[in-house]
Amino acid sequence: MTSNAELQNLDLIDLLSERHSLVRRISEKAWNDQSDIYISNSEWYIMARIYKKRPTISYITKNVEISRQAIHKFIKNLAAKGLVEINNVENNKKEKCIQLTALGEESYEKNEALKAQLESKIADKIGVKQVAILKDLLKLDWGIEQH
């Protein structure tokens, strides 16, 4: 774990990486401390893309920054844990759609609440206004997207 003193010498890319790793570890631990169902960060990422939707699996593979093979593996894992269900698409024999089960939705919503608690802790430490500014900065178009 990087100390606060070590953070002082990092550039933007490494600072983002360090903070991202830290909040992901804390978030993952918070979930694992209160649930018997292990869900990886990549699985959460996929669950976020399908929450309250019924996208096709091909839509997920085109719009998620994970390899097609890995996405299929994660979806299979999520289905085995009872978090998603895979259904045929009407009038299309090849295509499948995916959606969260009731357990999947409940798990996703519990995890969102845990993340909100972590964000609140951060806001208590650095200030609500600073968190809002940080979020706004991260949402800006940085003009660096790859095509």
Side-chain angles (χ1 to χ4, degrees):
M1 183 138 21
T2 308
S3 72
N4 215 30
E6 291 172 308
L7 289 175
Q8 305 310 311
N9 300 319
L10 296 179
D11 61 28
L12 174 65
I13 308 309
D14 292 339
L15 277 169
L16 285 170
S17 181
E18 286 294 328
R19 290 302 191 182
H20 177 254
S21 293
L22 176 65
V23 295
R24 278 285 167 211
R25 276 195 311 273
I26 292 168
S27 181
E28 193 173 316
K29 183 180 181 335
W31 172 259
N32 289 330
D33 286 352
Q34 62 93 54
S35 176
D36 296 335
I37 305 169
Y38 172 78
I39 303 173
S40 73
N41 283 327
S42 296
E43 290 168 339
W44 283 122
Y45 184 59
I46 291 168
M47 288 174 70
R49 294 294 181 279
I50 63 176
Y51 179 68
K52 298 288 186 194
K53 297 183 191 118
R54 292 188 63 203
T56 62
I57 292 177
S58 65
Y59 174 86
I60 297 288
T61 60
K62 286 185 190 102
N63 292 283
V64 171
E65 297 290 321
I66 305 173
S67 76
R68 200 178 76 74
Q69 294 88 338
I71 288 169
H72 282 276
K73 184 185 89 176
F74 292 132
I75 289 172
K76 196 179 275 188
N77 291 347
L78 288 167
K81 295 172 194 177
L83 298 168
V84 301
E85 62 182 29
I86 302 157
N87 297 302
N88 292 321
V89 173
E90 262 186 67
N91 306 319
N92 187 334
K93 287 188 176 26
K94 279 202 267 186
E95 193 63 85
K96 302 255 187 248
C97 67
I98 181 171
Q99 71 185 67
L100 294 178
T101 61
L103 176 62
E105 284 205 8
E106 181 188 332
S107 299
Y108 182 81
E109 289 163 1
K110 277 186 189 168
N111 194 51
E112 286 299 292
L114 292 169
K115 290 192 307 186
Q117 288 174 5
L118 177 55
E119 185 176 317
S120 181
K121 275 187 187 172
I122 294 168
D124 289 347
K125 188 72 175 166
I126 69 171
V128 172
K129 191 173 180 184
Q130 298 299 79
V131 169
I133 291 168
L134 178 58
K135 287 168 77 172
D136 287 343
L137 289 171
L138 293 171
K139 291 175 191 173
L140 289 175
D141 179 356
W142 292 8
I144 58 172
E145 279 73 25
Q146 290 184 306
H147 298 288

